[in-house]
Amino acid sequence: MAQILSNRQAEELHKSIIAYLAANKLPNSAAAFRTESQLGEDILDTATTKKYESLLEKKWTSVVRLQKKIMDLESRTAALQSELDSYTPAALSKRNKDPASWLPRAPPRYTFESHRNTINCVAFHPVFSSVASGSDDYTIKIWDWELGELERTIKGHTRAVLDVDFGGPRGNILLVSCSSDLTIKLWDPSNDYKNIRTLPGHDHSVSAVRFIPSSVNLLVSASRDHTMKIWDFNTGFCLHTLQGHMGWVRDVLPSYDGCFLLSTGDDMTARLWDISMAKPEVKATMIGHGNFNECCALAPPTSYQYFAPLAGMKKPPPLDSSAEFMATGSRDKTIRLWNSRGTCIKTLVGHDNWVRALVFHPGGKYLLSVSDDKTLRCWDLSQDGKCIRVVRDAHERFITCLKWAPGIPKIATGENSGITGESNGAPNGKPAAGPGASDVQMRCLIATGGVDFKLRIFAN
């Protein structure tokens, strides 16, 4: 066998091995190796042995760290090369013109700083260039994402603001917020964001709140008290209390037609609820994650054509069905894709820490996720859920929230599209052949918030 090391390197290695064996109480092995390598006490005395005893372990851990760095760099290089290969002039032109192909990339258009603590939530106004953020500093801030300016700070909650959402009847859009102070508050943007109603009722922190689309007066909330509540926000009455989760319900999302709810939380399950009937009931329970679930998302009908092969279906479900597929993100660092029967059809692995928020691309082809690993990842559903883009260091610390701006309604021939109760909880995912789809213009615009107190806007 040809010698790779020089004589000096070999001697240093032998000294390290002898010192390692001696330090780990293997004197016979150390003595035998000392004899074999002809390193007597005159060359390797006790003092020298002491100097070498931790060297082998340090070298070994250094090699492991370097190997990991090399593997990470190789993975990043491969991803960049794949992205570069797709940047033909035709592809670039299509990406610039087709909103369905747009994906966020660094750097963000704006980075907003004013909060004094972690940003927990973010929501876009469905019409205007306003975006709201809620924070552990007890405040909500309204920003103009086009001008890059802070418009106002809303105070009223007495504990951390955990979620915000824009919605309600068209022509009278409201902002709703929920908090660790156990309350839900409604604010009127047309009247300087005046607090017009406070809804008490939950017995613990209210972690999520959403307007229910296709209704003019309903919203849903999720809480650490293990329940969800459906409210009439005009009267302030709680219409239903949904029980079934065995732990903190961290996230809830209504379907675009207001017929279903998807919820998830600390019991490591997700549940699909049918709320179209007089007494809401669980339609499916999704079990499979190995740690607390942080977030969920309902797939828009535009994604059904990409989900069908993943689910082993010959043809996609009808576009007028609003809750066929969904996704959940967990502290087990994975994302799971499910069908409406509660079957896991795919597990997406790539994040190195808790998955904190998910959103489907309005075009249906991609799923976006953010994590405590400080990355934003884009998963291509047409390529078996392959991660095709990683925006690294999207924030300086953990990323807590992610929202895609809802589509802008178009006014046609003097009549509106007839869609009411739009929610900012997810991008507008109306099916291409569904009602009102041609009246919605997709916006290439997302926002993220994090533990670094920053709100970032990514836009085309």
Side-chain angles (χ1 to χ4, degrees), residues 208-257:
V209 65
R210 295 284 186 277
F211 287 98
I212 297 178
S214 299
S215 71
V216 294
N217 63 330
L218 298 181
L219 59 82
V220 61
S221 60
S223 170
R224 194 174 179 177
D225 65 12
H226 303 186
T227 71
M228 295 183 295
K229 293 181 182 290
I230 296 176
W231 307 81
D232 182 329
F233 58 78
N234 285 336
T235 64
F237 293 145
C238 175
L239 305 180
H240 300 284
T241 297
L242 308 184
Q243 296 178 316
H245 281 285
M246 304 301 290
W248 186 345
V249 188
R250 290 186 178 269
D251 201 9
V252 64
L253 196 70
S255 60
Y256 73 80
D257 59 1

Side-chain angles (χ1 to χ4, degrees), residues 230 239-242 273-282:
I230 296 176
L239 305 180
H240 300 284
T241 297
L242 308 184
W273 306 76
D274 186 343
I275 60 170
S276 62
M277 51 186 67
K279 186 178 180 181
E281 63 179 32
V282 176

Side-chain angles (χ1 to χ4, degrees), residues 250-330:
R250 290 186 178 269
D251 201 9
V252 64
L253 196 70
S255 60
Y256 73 80
D257 59 1
C259 292
F260 298 96
L261 296 176
L262 178 65
S263 60
T264 196
D266 282 7
D267 61 4
M268 297 183 281
T269 72
R271 294 168 192 259
L272 183 64
W273 306 76
D274 186 343
I275 60 170
S276 62
M277 51 186 67
K279 186 178 180 181
E281 63 179 32
V282 176
K283 183 182 176 184
T285 301
M286 287 140 264
I287 303 171
H289 280 293
N291 205 330
F292 296 163
N293 292 3
E294 287 282 335
C295 52
C296 58
L298 278 165
T302 50
S303 70
Y304 293 176
Q305 59 180 312
Y306 307 110
F307 265 102
L310 292 173
M313 302 171 67
K314 292 183 179 179
K315 62 178 183 178
L319 294 178
D320 58 0
S321 181
S322 61
E324 290 292 336
F325 302 102
M326 54 227 67
T328 53
S330 170

Side-chain angles (χ1 to χ4, degrees), residues 122-126 130 164-167 210-211 253 403-406 422-427 443:
V122 62
F124 285 98
H125 193 287
S130 297
V164 289
D165 190 32
F166 281 103
R210 295 284 186 277
F211 287 98
L253 196 70
K403 284 290 171 64
W404 195 297
E422 293 199 13
S423 170
N424 193 263
R443 288 197 282 183

Side-chain angles (χ1 to χ4, degrees), residues 413-431:
T413 63
E415 295 180 350
N416 66 29
S417 63
I419 305 168
T420 60
E422 293 199 13
S423 170
N424 193 263
N428 195 309
K430 306 291 187 296

